[in-house]
Amino acid sequence: MTQNDPLDRERVQQLMMAALDGEISADEKRELDAAIAAHPDIAHEWLRFKRVKEVTTGMSLRTPPEETWDHYWQGTYRRVERGIAWLLVSIGAIILGGYWAWHMVEAFFETSDEPLGIRIAIAALVVGGVILAVSVAREKIFTNRRDPYQKEVIR
Amino acid sequence: MDTVTPIGESDMALVRRAQAGDRDAFGLLVERYMRRAYFAALSLVGSSEDALDLSQEAFARAYRSRSTIDPERPFYAWLYQILRRLCFNFLRDRRTRRQTLEASASWLAEDAAHRSGPDPAEALAREERRRLVAAAIEGLPAREREVLALKEFEGLTYKEIASLVGVPIGTVMSRLYTARHRLAQALEIQR
């Protein structure tokens, strides 16, 4: 590859990565060396990458205290238990809340002498609240159970 | 890629036992992969407390969904999908709340082999470099950071990374290129 050769930069970038990470073949290495020899900007970039690789190779993730692992599984299992408990509490609260709301509305309509418009508005408010609660609960329960890892959001 | 330890059962056998209701079998899977999951989370979120929390949550979700695991497929690859989604969502939420990472960047350490001599000036310079590298990695977009961490801290091959992340090898390489390019820029600017 000479200075006048059309340079496939994406290819060279991949070759540089492969060379840094020891995943380059002999032929690819020759191709990379030729690109580095023919293009000063590639040679400059290659040196920068080698420096970055040197720095990151000398780093590792900090190891936590050994006690961290002693109760790891118990901690995980406690989460599972609490998850089930929260689910049951939520279901109970929704049923009781719905039952209570139904009776409130029923009593209100039986005894109230408010205008019809107000009564309809209150009924709509209560029914809407119940639908909202059920919808949120259903989303929480079914999203976690059925679709544990599809709802990925990246910004 | 079924893992078998000399004294233990294969992942496949443990998954089958866990699906049959054996809680202890799942506990053995947790013990087998807890360190790897923790470090994967740590490299993504940069906080030991959050990494512990997120990795445990990933196992808890995996336990709840254990009936859907295919025992023929690698357990960790399945778990990793849950873990990375949790970490990415965590990063998104943290960014939304404008929280910052641990100020000391204490999630990253310098290998003993790269340290030399007790010279205080040299130690200070090394500490400064560690902080720069940590800050530069923290500044990377999550997907680039993930690939860089899997390569540099887990030492996986491109093929293994592609399989875990679910992208072609070419994408792994281009993400690595962009990540390293950004790191080089960050290190030069701050030098």
Side-chain angles (χ1 to χ4, degrees):
Chain A
M1 202 177 286
T2 69
Q3 192 109 32
N4 296 324
D5 287 339
L7 183 68
D8 182 347
R9 290 205 171 258
E10 198 176 327
R11 166 86 179 150
V12 174
Q13 288 165 5
Q14 292 198 342
L15 290 177
M16 283 195 281
M17 294 305 105
L20 285 176
D21 296 319
E23 295 201 29
I24 196 166
S25 68
D27 284 347
E28 288 171 335
K29 182 71 170 64
R30 275 193 290 277
E31 191 182 338
L32 176 63
D33 288 342
I36 289 170
H39 299 272
D41 59 324
I42 298 288
H44 176 68
E45 192 170 34
W46 173 237
L47 285 178
R48 288 172 78 213
F49 280 133
K50 283 211 293 190
R51 175 71 190 131
V52 168
K53 181 68 182 178
E54 266 174 36
V55 170
T56 52
T57 300
M59 304 282 169
S60 60
L61 298 170
R62 199 174 288 279
T63 308
E66 201 52 35
E67 309 87 78
T68 305
W69 313 119
D70 293 344
H71 304 292
Y72 189 96
W73 166 229
Q74 286 93 327
T76 303
Y77 193 72
R78 272 199 297 276
R79 278 169 188 268
V80 175
E81 284 180 329
R82 282 176 200 159
I84 294 167
W86 275 114
L87 182 67
L88 293 174
V89 166
S90 304
I91 290 170
I94 287 169
I95 292 171
L96 287 177
Y99 180 77
W100 172 81
W102 172 255
H103 277 280
M104 288 288 288
V105 171
E106 204 175 41
F108 178 75
F109 276 100
E110 279 172 3
T111 59
S112 172
D113 51 3
E114 295 288 343
L116 181 65
I118 298 294
R119 286 198 278 170
I120 290 172
I122 290 172
L125 195 70
V126 171
V127 172
V130 170
I131 292 171
L132 204 60
V134 170
S135 172
V136 169
R138 193 177 55 193
E139 186 190 347
K140 288 276 177 201
I141 294 164
F142 286 96
T143 302
N144 285 342
R145 276 178 57 193
R146 281 192 194 164
D147 189 15
Y149 45 79
Q150 282 183 3
K151 201 179 157 190
E152 180 182 300
V153 183
I154 304 288
R155 280 185 191 162
Chain B
M1 208 162 85
D2 190 35
T3 305
V4 188
T5 54
I7 51 164
E9 287 178 74
S10 69
D11 285 3
M12 194 190 294
L14 290 173
V15 167
R16 288 213 164 101
R17 279 175 51 197
Q19 287 177 329
D22 186 344
R23 200 186 78 180
D24 292 341
F26 196 84
L28 290 173
L29 281 169
V30 171
E31 282 169 11
R32 188 172 286 173
Y33 291 110
M34 60 189 178
R35 288 175 176 79
R36 193 171 175 193
Y38 167 83
F39 284 119
L42 180 63
S43 65
L44 278 172
V45 301
S47 146
S48 49
E49 258 181 49
D50 294 328
L52 188 64
D53 186 52
L54 289 163
S55 62
Q56 284 188 314
E57 181 59 26
F59 278 115
R61 289 189 184 199
Y63 184 77
R64 282 187 218 117
S65 310
R66 64 193 181 282
S67 62
T68 64
I69 308 175
D70 178 357
E72 305 287 332
R73 299 183 65 191
F75 172 76
Y76 183 76
W78 183 79
L79 176 80
Y80 184 76
Q81 299 310 310
I82 301 174
L83 180 64
R84 73 192 290 259
R85 181 177 69 85
L86 282 171
C87 291
F88 286 164
N89 286 345
F90 173 84
L91 288 172
R92 179 205 60 197
D93 293 345
R94 182 164 60 188
R95 209 167 297 145
T96 307
R97 293 196 305 269
R98 295 186 179 281
Q99 287 186 357
T100 54
L101 290 161
E102 288 176 359
S104 60
S106 60
W107 59 279
L108 199 61
E110 195 168 21
D111 288 344
H114 288 77
R115 294 182 212 132
S116 56
D119 180 4
E122 199 182 312
L124 202 65
R126 279 202 311 269
E127 175 59 17
E128 183 57 22
R129 187 175 57 187
R130 186 186 66 78
R131 280 175 176 278
L132 287 181
V133 173
I137 293 175
E138 286 160 14
L140 293 174
R143 284 173 193 272
E144 289 168 19
R145 181 174 178 170
E146 175 187 36
V147 169
L148 186 77
L150 290 171
K151 181 74 238 172
E152 297 296 348
F153 303 133
E154 281 212 50
L156 301 186
T157 63
Y158 291 163
K159 194 178 169 188
E160 289 167 333
I161 296 172
S163 167
L164 264 189
V165 176
V167 296
I169 288 177
T171 307
V172 170
M173 294 167 93
S174 62
R175 283 185 191 172
L176 265 177
Y177 172 84
T178 315
R180 285 174 171 150
H181 185 70
R182 288 184 208 263
L183 272 188
Q185 281 180 327
L187 293 174
E188 278 163 13
I189 288 166
Q190 293 172 41
R191 194 175 284 167

